[in-house]
Amino acid sequence: MKVGILGAGQLARMIALAGYPIGLEFIFLDPSEDSCANRLGEHLHGAYNDPRLLAQLAERADVVTYEFENVPAEVAEFLSARTQVHPAPKALAVAQDRLIEKAFFRSIDIPTAPYAPVNSLADLEAAIIPIGLPAILKSCTMGYDGKGQSLIRSTDDLAAAWDALAGAPAVLEGFVPFNREVSIIAARNVSGEVVFYPLSENVHRGGILRVATSREGDPLQAKAEAYISRLMEALEYVGVLALELFDVDGDLIANEFAPRVHNSGHWTTEGAETSQFENHLRAILNLPLGATSAVNKTAMINFIGGLPKDEALLAIPNAHLHLYDKAPRKGRKVAHATVRANTSAELEALISQVSTLADQVDDS
Ligand code: AMP
């Protein structure tokens, strides 16, 4: 079987690495000459919306998936008219626009921060009254890793926050005073079988994920599973789905979802019985899903902007290095490491050892 992937970045690379042991082959469509997944399959090189390349992808792949949610709707529809595409275009349409996404959460009784649409400075000035301060202004589309976002602490910040968007449609969100950020990752196959991973507890800095730690047995697991189940059913979802949540004194508030494998689930490669990448492939090929139980206590640490010193990292016996074959650039995720331990204390010590190495090269 051949799997087509739109995008050939690190997520596509990790999906392919998980697919070879179960006998799969890969074909990627990506505009970059020098992409992370280049060495792991055939490569159609060109624009994501090039109809000639899309037709080739549809013809040569048994099923098509993607590694990013900003796939244009017409591309997803072009492909789904010709081959199987998972997740379906509806999940993309909802995930691509923060306003649609928030309304969708509300429509299925998943709580969100208070929010209001903003299309002008006057809208922003009006929205701040019911929503209050602090608040975050986010562009509706194309935002990731904290990009296209401004924190508004006082009314003096309004004009600058609006100007920074350069006229893009936006959403104003109340700032959630969270105790911690968590995410739940689940997989659903074509037959409707669903599996859930243990919650990840996520630490961000500057809007970018730094550390994700598996939390098997977390008291909020059942609530998070209920929310993501509802989301998957409403979207008739197939594949791996990630839902990012704020924990506010035991209540969960949805931030956003990603219709794909997710950075907060990279610990599953060494830390779960079956990785999120393998389960994504099993789901879209309608194979039985693998067990998601944690193998041990695990965490993942991102390397941003600079590569780790391999020898220092590999000298930590319980650390596993994942390089993305990507040139270092400011603010760019170029690698991660997972660490695994028997006790929470050992895990914390490993996280701190690896984070020190990550901080040495971090330029973000
Ligand atoms: P996002 O791009 O929406 O995932 O936001 C990136 C990060 O900014 C989140 O992981 C949070 O750390 C922070 N953040 C985003 N929205 C809010 C909010 N409404 N309240 C508090 N923190 C937020």
Side-chain angles (χ1 to χ4, degrees), residues 90-261:
K90 182 175 177 187
L92 289 175
V94 178
Q96 279 172 6
D97 188 308
R98 290 186 191 274
L99 210 49
I100 297 173
E101 186 181 31
K102 285 202 168 22
F104 196 80
F105 281 138
R106 293 269 179 110
S107 74
I108 53 172
D109 284 330
I110 298 179
T112 69
Y115 70 93
V118 168
N119 292 301
S120 65
L121 182 56
D123 282 356
L124 179 57
E125 285 163 351
I128 214 83
I129 296 162
I131 287 175
L133 292 170
I136 302 188
L137 186 66
K138 299 181 179 178
S139 63
C140 284
T141 59
M142 301 306 277
Y144 68 96
D145 285 348
K147 293 187 174 66
Q149 299 190 13
S150 305
L151 177 64
I152 301 177
R153 292 176 200 278
S154 86
T155 47
D156 296 342
D157 299 335
L158 294 181
W162 171 249
D163 287 348
L165 287 169
V171 56
L172 184 71
E173 276 180 37
F175 187 87
V176 179
F178 57 82
N179 308 99
R180 56 183 188 142
E181 292 189 73
V182 295
S183 56
I184 178 138
I185 293 176
R188 184 172 182 268
N189 71 10
V190 181
S191 304
E193 185 195 350
V194 177
V195 290
F196 306 96
Y197 283 94
L199 279 191
S200 291
E201 189 174 313
N202 306 324
V203 177
H204 293 82
R205 206 166 61 232
I208 306 179
L209 181 67
R210 307 294 160 152
V211 180
T213 306
S214 70
R215 294 291 184 211
E216 193 165 48
D218 193 282
L220 295 181
Q221 181 77 28
K223 202 179 269 186
E225 287 185 9
Y227 288 165
I228 201 167
S229 299
R230 223 177 284 164
L231 190 56
M232 285 192 301
E233 254 165 57
L235 293 168
E236 294 169 58
Y237 196 83
V238 172
V240 158
L241 176 71
L243 173 61
E244 293 186 56
L245 300 151
F246 299 118
D247 169 5
V248 186
D249 299 334
D251 285 327
L252 287 177
I253 293 177
N255 179 27
E256 60 183 2
F257 74 86
R260 54 173 169 78
V261 293

